[in-house]
Amino acid sequence: MTDIVTITLNPAVDLSTSVDRIQPVAKLRGKSQRRDPGGGGINVARVIRRLGGDAHAIYPVGGAIGGLLRQLLDQEGVVSQTWTIAGETREDFFVDEIATGKQYRFILPGPHLSPSEWQHCLSLVAAIEPFPRLVVASGSLLEGVPLDFYARVARIARQRGAGFVLDTSGPALAAAVAEGVDLIKPNLREMRELSGSDPSDAYEWEAAAKALVAGGKAGTVALTMGHLGAALVTRNEVLRARPIPITPRSAVGAGDSFLAGLIWRLSSGASREDAFRLAVAAGAAALIHPGTELCRIEDVERLAAGVTIEKA
Ligand SMILES: Nc1ncnc2c1ncn2[C@@H]1O[C@H](COP(=O)(O)OP(=O)(O)OP(=O)(O)O)[C@@H](O)[C@H]1O
Ligand SMILES: [Mg+2]
């Protein structure tokens, strides 16, 4: 068994292509086509694997697209633990417009889960033997799934003595934080929703993160601020990372790559500072190549050497 499992309730197969220019009515001839596995926890498991670690991915599988998703993950060497659902696994569609270098991302809603289908996920997690040290849940919930779903996962992880890491948004994040979570990775929008405040500078953002930690709701807040960098806030320490100067060529996977780098390094016993450095590098590395590709290890290592971390 592995030390880390990830949970993705709404996984996807991401289909991507590039066209000269996006126009209505005309037939837009794609110049390439590729399919990648997608969805928060799935990407976290893939990046951990690329970085040299091992994480198992738990996700529902529906129809032919679900079968394809599993096959794509098998090819990458990511171990899947799945259960079958009646609906069809989601597909997303990404188009790179060559003339402008812009990327268009179409995210589809995904299937409905019945009560027995989402309850099955909870039973599956509760029954893992031996239990992993870390459970990572990431991504949106599907229609039909109660907003306290991640709070229930947090409870199972706690009962089994494992850490629980969450990257999601809105009421599902708020409900889990009310239950208590070991680490959350909000971006600025998610942090604004969660704190119910509208911070205006780095100091105020960090104060909002510190308030969550002080209230015992999150052990660590990894606040990611896109091109502005990130802060890692724990009870005794605030670390700040300056952004890495890069030209983004894609918008896919920065948050997932950041989270994977952080938890993989932390779970391997590295210091918070080292893990944070790798996370920031992995986030930036996800963006420097066009398309849906996640970070490459050689980019992560190269960029990590240039990350500056300060203690606040
Ligand atoms: N334009 C950028 N330049 C440099 N680094 C970046 C940029 N965008 C993101 N990063 C790095 O990646 C990390 C995560 O990015 P971001 O805050 O955008 O996460 P997110 O909003 O959760 O992303 P996602 O859309 O993938 O869910 C940032 O903290 C930063 O380290
Ligand atoms: Mg995100």
Side-chain angles (χ1 to χ4, degrees), residues 173-190:
L173 174 61
V177 165
E179 176 70 30
V181 184
D182 294 289
L183 188 150
I184 54 173
K185 193 223 71 63
N187 59 23
L188 294 184
R189 177 181 50 79
E190 290 154 356

Side-chain angles (χ1 to χ4, degrees), residues 13-17 33-36 91-95:
V13 169
D14 294 341
L15 176 61
S16 53
T17 189
Q33 73 182 57
R34 65 177 275 164
R35 286 197 168 92
D36 295 279
E91 281 173 290
D92 295 329
F93 186 50
F94 297 174
V95 184

